[in-house]
Amino acid sequence: MRVNVQDVMTREPITVPTTMPFKQVASTLADNKISAVPVLDAAGDVAGVISEADLLRKEEFRELYYRECYESPSRIRNDRAPGFDARRKAQALTAADLMTSPAVTIRPDTSVVRAVRVMDEQRVKRLLVVDDEGRLAGVISRSDLLRLFVRDDRDLAGEILEEVLKPAKWITTDALTVAAEEGVVTLAGHTPTRSEAELAVRMTQRVNGVVAVVDRLGWEDDDLSPRRTR
């Protein structure tokens, strides 16, 4: 069963306007115990995103400038020299100065598998979810994706049997049982053919929330054997 971004994203996320002062942005993150916040412009469109790292730029460069006052310039390593974007954020007064723009976005109907790939490719911990008109629909973070692996075992086993295996007309489930413990799914029983048993395992492995599959299936006819007489 495919799970899309809209199935696990945080809806109606907290946002800040581009004009919000630095201190209020910091308070918004701290008071709501969140690590990032979307920034909206005057029209309500996504302008960017601010993370804790963006806010901490100011403290990072406060320390750097302090060292520059007391150390010889020759002792300041080149790799500590701030870039333009980092300096801008360090001197930020409002959300517009702080934010990273454009923000990395994704559509609600995108699969969570694709969302994980985008996060990895873009090296971000969260994605802003936008609708067809480009309006903010939600936010999906790594913690949201982790929810897929903390599903109730009984619900997981029931979904696999009732919504994945039984609807598949090419798999006979009359003598097949599904059990789950800590996300590890055990398929047991018999199927008429070996191909059905192997297909059942592959389909189960694709279900979100499955940690591993234990194959205890038997079959009556080894229809995959090259020695089978046809």
Side-chain angles (χ1 to χ4, degrees):
M1 179 180 179
R2 168 172 159 151
V3 177
N4 292 334
V5 167
Q6 61 193 357
D7 298 319
V8 296
M9 71 181 185
T10 298
R11 299 175 181 274
E12 300 182 1
I14 295 169
T15 63
V16 301
T18 54
T19 54
M20 179 175 282
F22 178 98
K23 188 173 181 178
Q24 289 186 30
V25 175
S27 296
T28 298
L29 267 66
D31 294 345
N32 292 281
K33 298 180 179 179
I34 54 179
S35 60
V37 63
V39 182
L40 304 184
D41 62 20
D45 296 324
V46 175
V49 63
I50 296 173
S51 68
E52 292 173 323
D54 296 324
L55 288 161
L56 292 174
R57 285 291 188 186
K58 190 175 290 291
E59 190 62 31
E60 175 187 348
F61 286 100
R62 189 195 314 278
E63 179 181 355
L64 177 59
Y65 295 147
Y66 174 85
R67 290 179 181 176
E68 288 177 340
C69 290
Y70 291 93
E71 296 181 17
S72 167
S74 62
R75 296 180 60 187
I76 302 297
R77 294 182 352 194
N78 290 334
D79 61 0
R80 283 163 51 191
F84 174 78
D85 190 58
R87 282 187 179 274
R88 174 180 65 81
K89 293 182 179 182
Q91 299 168 358
L93 297 178
T94 66
D97 302 323
L98 273 170
M99 68 183 184
T100 297
S101 180
V104 182
T105 62
I106 200 165
R107 294 284 299 279
D109 57 355
T110 305
S111 73
V112 294
V113 174
R114 177 57 184 162
V116 172
R117 289 175 182 169
V118 173
M119 286 185 189
D120 183 58
E121 292 169 358
Q122 299 296 322
R123 298 183 180 180
V124 295
K125 298 179 180 179
R126 66 199 57 83
L127 302 171
L128 302 191
V129 187
V130 296
D131 60 20
D132 294 338
E133 298 178 353
R135 292 299 183 99
L136 185 68
V139 174
I140 184 168
S141 65
R142 291 178 179 177
S143 59
D144 294 319
L145 295 171
L146 286 176
R147 295 177 191 171
L148 296 173
F149 294 99
V150 293
R151 300 177 59 188
D152 179 80
D153 286 327
R154 182 175 297 181
D155 291 342
L156 179 61
E159 177 187 322
I160 292 170
L161 182 60
E162 299 297 331
E163 299 182 29
V164 177
L165 300 181
K166 283 188 175 180
K169 297 180 180 180
W170 48 87
I171 297 178
T172 305
T173 59
D174 296 344
L176 190 152
T177 62
V178 181
E181 183 175 357
E182 299 295 330
V184 178
V185 178
T186 299
L187 299 180
H190 295 271
T191 57
T193 63
R194 178 181 175 184
S195 60
E196 291 181 60
E198 293 191 1
L199 181 58
V201 171
R202 290 199 300 272
M203 292 182 68
T204 301
Q205 290 172 331
R206 296 179 60 186
V207 175
N208 290 289
V210 173
V211 175
V213 178
V214 178
D215 180 4
R216 294 181 178 171
L217 292 172
W219 58 85
E220 303 298 331
D221 178 19
D222 186 357
D223 58 336
L224 297 179
S225 173
R227 298 179 180 180
R228 181 184 177 192
T229 303
R230 298 183 182 278

